[in-house]
Amino acid sequence: QVRAMQTTTNLVVRKDNLGTAELRTTVDSPLKVGDVRVRIERFALTANNITYAAFGDAMNYWGFFPVDQQWGRVPVWGFGSVIDSQHPGVTVGRKVFGYWPIANKVVLSPSRVSETGFVDGAPHRTNLHPVYNEYAFSNKDPLYTPESEDIQALLRPLFFTSWLIDDFLASKEFFGARVMLLSSASSKTAYGTAFQLAQRAGIEVVG
């Protein structure tokens, strides 16, 4: 029996003209030892992802899933499942939350595999910000439920930013302030920050 040829389709955009995009389909290569192939199943696409593209060169967001000098892949947050594995610590069928290209599949190189997840150890990601290289196994994630995948893909990444803002302000005793004015009240980071700050005694949140 002849096995059907497997392919991966990516959405790529022009780095110098984000309104220009195209779909590119390539034939899947055999996995190298230590790699896994993940089917990307669900992700959120928001203004935050446009920020990744707009600052793709300045903050090296293009570096996570590189294409070439002219074209790039916009990163997104969401869920995927391992469909092929050459890594003994990451089995086929495992669902993971993390950072993906806009594509139907992607190859990762798991390192520092633990009970709760792994880090993509691909050489081109070594010097990039570690928070974007971490992938969490959903069945070991206390925050995960199948029903909350949509809302987690949408809000979870920026809630971490919200938590850090709240923690930083608290560590500085809010610089003596008692009223917190959120000037970007429609953003997801602002929503999360407001939620955290509202639980602080003696702090009034405006916005």
Side-chain angles (χ1 to χ4, degrees):
Q1 184 177 3
V2 178
R3 185 180 178 183
M5 182 172 59
Q6 301 295 308
T7 61
T8 295
T9 300
N10 280 276
L11 177 71
V12 299
V13 301
R14 282 280 303 227
K15 295 178 182 180
D16 59 353
N17 182 6
L18 300 181
T20 300
E22 62 185 45
L23 292 173
R24 292 186 182 176
T25 299
T26 56
V27 176
D28 294 345
S29 300
L31 290 177
K32 298 177 182 177
V33 174
D35 285 355
V36 299
R37 180 172 284 112
V38 180
R39 180 178 62 243
I40 301 165
E41 298 171 330
R42 190 180 305 257
F43 60 80
L45 184 63
T46 73
N48 186 51
N49 304 102
I50 305 306
T51 301
Y52 291 151
F55 288 88
D57 287 321
M59 300 185 71
N60 207 15
Y61 288 120
W62 296 129
F64 288 94
F65 307 105
V67 180
D68 56 37
Q69 290 295 323
Q70 289 186 317
W71 297 87
R73 292 187 281 180
V74 179
V76 292
W77 292 92
F79 292 90
S81 292
V82 178
I83 58 172
D84 193 4
S85 177
Q86 291 295 319
H87 193 294
V90 183
T91 54
V92 171
R94 299 212 73 168
K95 183 180 286 289
V96 290
F97 175 83
Y99 206 50
W100 316 105
I102 299 177
N104 65 329
K105 288 180 281 186
V106 70
V107 173
L108 304 177
S109 302
S111 67
R112 292 159 49 191
V113 178
S114 69
E115 182 180 350
T116 58
F118 61 86
V119 170
D120 187 6
H124 69 272
R125 295 179 70 162
T126 301
N127 295 321
L128 301 175
H129 199 293
V131 71
Y132 300 101
N133 290 336
E134 297 178 356
Y135 292 82
F137 293 137
S138 295
N139 69 329
K140 296 295 183 179
D141 183 351
L143 298 176
Y144 175 78
T145 64
E147 298 77 16
S148 68
E149 283 189 6
D150 287 346
I151 197 71
Q152 286 208 39
L154 183 65
L155 297 178
R156 180 171 175 167
L158 292 176
F159 186 79
F160 290 132
T161 305
S162 303
W163 185 90
L164 289 170
I165 292 171
D166 170 72
D167 185 66
F168 170 75
L169 290 172
S171 72
K172 300 298 183 181
E173 298 182 341
F174 300 96
F175 298 95
R178 287 294 172 260
V179 177
M180 298 290 115
L181 175 63
L182 301 179
S183 61
S184 182
S186 64
S187 77
K188 292 182 292 297
T189 303
Y191 281 144
T193 304
F195 175 81
Q196 290 295 103
L197 290 172
Q199 300 177 71
R200 298 283 185 180
I203 296 298
E204 179 184 357
V205 180
V206 177

